[in-house]
Amino acid sequence: MAAEESQYQLVTFKLGDELYGVDIMDVKEIVKIQKIRPIPNAPDYMIGILNLRGDIIPIIDLHRRFNINMDNGEPEFDELESGFVILKILDIQIGIIIDKVSRVVSVNFDEIQEPPQMMSGIGNEYIKGVVRNPDNYLIVLDTIKLFDPKELQKIIPAK
């Protein structure tokens, strides 16, 4: 039991060349790429809304949010590997576009290190920490800080 309490379970995914992870407790589901309806005058990183089984979910492009530059300017999504991670943040569902879902991993709390001041254009206010491994590193995102309450009010469709 103590080992479980000292670990995070992270859903990991790729954005560009980087590996990111979010706490599995913040993930409602992962779905394949689907048609998104654009919303006029939305923030540039909000690409639209998705109707998922009757729930209207705003879809956020983390490439834009994090200023991740793609070689050709815009990310290309592979229907087999790309998708949306549907997060539940403060009882609000938000979808984020991912390039490729990776897997669920367990990480010990003591493996998570403080993030460097700036990483790949991402402000470290969005990062809980970094887990280093022999090949690369895993950036652990803080889903609560990705969207502050005032910002959530701007992107959540009125009911």
Side-chain angles (χ1 to χ4, degrees), residues 9-128:
Q9 291 260 301
L10 299 171
V11 174
T12 61
F13 54 90
K14 297 280 273 188
L15 283 178
D17 295 329
E18 304 294 342
L19 184 64
Y20 294 87
V22 293
D23 190 329
I24 198 168
M25 298 306 289
D26 295 337
V27 176
K28 183 169 186 253
E29 64 186 300
I30 300 171
V31 296
K32 291 185 176 191
I33 288 286
Q34 299 177 29
K35 184 162 175 63
I36 300 168
R37 182 174 162 226
I39 299 294
N41 300 318
D44 70 332
Y45 57 84
M46 181 182 166
I47 60 169
I49 56 174
L50 168 69
N51 184 339
L52 185 63
R53 296 183 297 277
D55 290 330
I56 304 301
I57 300 171
I59 301 296
I60 305 301
D61 184 344
L62 290 182
H63 295 92
R64 293 180 187 177
R65 176 74 181 200
F66 293 160
N67 296 316
I68 296 173
N69 293 326
M70 304 304 289
D71 293 336
N72 60 0
E74 285 293 322
E76 289 185 22
F77 300 111
D78 181 319
E79 287 186 26
L80 297 175
E81 294 183 336
S82 299
F84 305 118
V85 174
I86 308 299
L87 301 171
K88 192 157 189 176
I89 303 170
L90 304 173
D91 291 327
I92 298 169
Q93 293 183 76
I94 296 176
I96 57 174
I97 295 178
I98 59 171
D99 294 338
K100 180 180 180 182
V101 71
S102 189
R103 59 192 173 117
V104 175
V105 297
S106 295
V107 174
N108 292 325
F109 286 131
D110 60 1
E111 292 178 88
I112 301 173
Q113 300 175 5
E114 288 290 318
Q117 286 299 320
M118 288 299 278
M119 289 188 73
S120 305
I122 305 171
N124 67 359
E125 68 269 18
Y126 305 131
I127 301 174
K128 244 180 217 181

